Amino acid sequence: MVLSRLEELQSELFILETGEVSSPPAPPTEAMVVVDPFCTGACLAAHCHALGYKVIAVYSTQLEELASLASLIPQGQVVGFHSIVSMENDIHEVVKKVQACGFSIKACMTGAETGVELADELSSKLSLLLTNGTGQSEARRNKSIMGETMREAGLRSAIQLVATGSRSRPSWMSGNPTLSK
């Protein structure tokens, strides 16, 4: 059932402009890479496409493993991808496939949280001018580490506690508003 929804999405929401990744475009144009173009990432990809960029979708894993994200694509959102690449095992293969599209890659952006680490690594490997690099990838996905990274940089951050269970809650939390994840 989920796989059929993904196939439906591939055919209805994501329009593949050309079938061959290795076909060089003529004339050369600019492209944006969106890793895991789900949720707001689908909107981001559609906006890039509307601006005239070719859009290369990169999935951080096999599409079947991202099935739960399919429902997060805004209804009625149509995105035109020039190419679709999946991360299978090797970042170098993904880099080769993206480069084989023949476009000048202007940016590699994260479409959904699941794509943060791959987008960081891919933007570094593609030697893009603008990249987050991989040094703080974990802080972009782990809210606890994110808060501590902010605090270390001199920014205000919410008081937090990483707990392994409800018994490790300190007394100051009783009666105060708390958020548990």
Side-chain angles (χ1 to χ4, degrees), residues 4-180:
S4 64
R5 173 70 177 135
L6 287 172
E7 290 168 353
E8 176 185 317
L9 288 172
Q10 286 288 41
S11 64
E12 291 179 14
L13 296 178
F14 299 145
I15 303 165
L16 191 60
E17 293 177 0
T18 64
E20 291 296 318
V21 172
S22 60
S23 301
T29 57
E30 297 176 340
M32 300 286 191
V33 174
V34 180
V35 180
D36 289 348
F38 300 102
C39 199
T40 54
C43 299
L44 176 65
H47 185 70
C48 290
H49 189 262
L51 290 173
Y53 291 99
K54 298 294 184 184
V55 179
I56 301 168
V58 176
Y59 294 126
S60 61
T61 187
Q62 295 295 315
L63 190 56
E64 296 80 14
E65 294 178 36
L66 297 170
S68 63
L69 298 177
S71 64
L72 300 177
I73 297 170
Q75 203 158 36
Q77 181 70 64
V78 178
V79 183
F81 292 136
H82 176 272
S83 301
I84 297 174
V85 177
S86 287
M87 174 67 174
E88 293 180 21
N89 293 316
D90 185 8
I91 183 68
H92 300 291
E93 285 301 313
V94 174
V95 170
K96 284 180 189 176
K97 289 178 182 178
V98 168
Q99 290 174 330
C101 293
F103 298 114
S104 171
I105 306 297
K106 291 300 171 189
C108 177
M109 300 171 279
T110 303
E113 184 182 357
T114 53
V116 169
E117 292 170 358
L118 179 58
D120 288 351
E121 190 172 6
L122 187 56
S123 65
S124 291
K125 299 281 188 209
L126 289 169
S127 301
L128 298 179
L129 184 60
L130 298 174
T131 178
N132 285 327
T134 57
Q136 295 294 332
S137 293
E138 189 176 7
R140 282 187 279 286
R141 291 205 67 203
N142 183 313
K143 302 306 179 213
S144 171
I145 296 172
M146 181 186 296
E148 294 310 310
T149 301
M150 290 171 54
R151 199 177 328 281
E152 289 169 10
L155 300 172
R156 292 180 63 175
S157 182
I159 297 170
Q160 61 183 6
L161 170 75
V162 177
T164 57
S166 61
R167 292 181 189 200
S168 53
R169 289 177 55 153
S171 59
W172 60 262
M173 289 180 78
S174 298
N176 291 311
T178 59
L179 172 66
S180 298

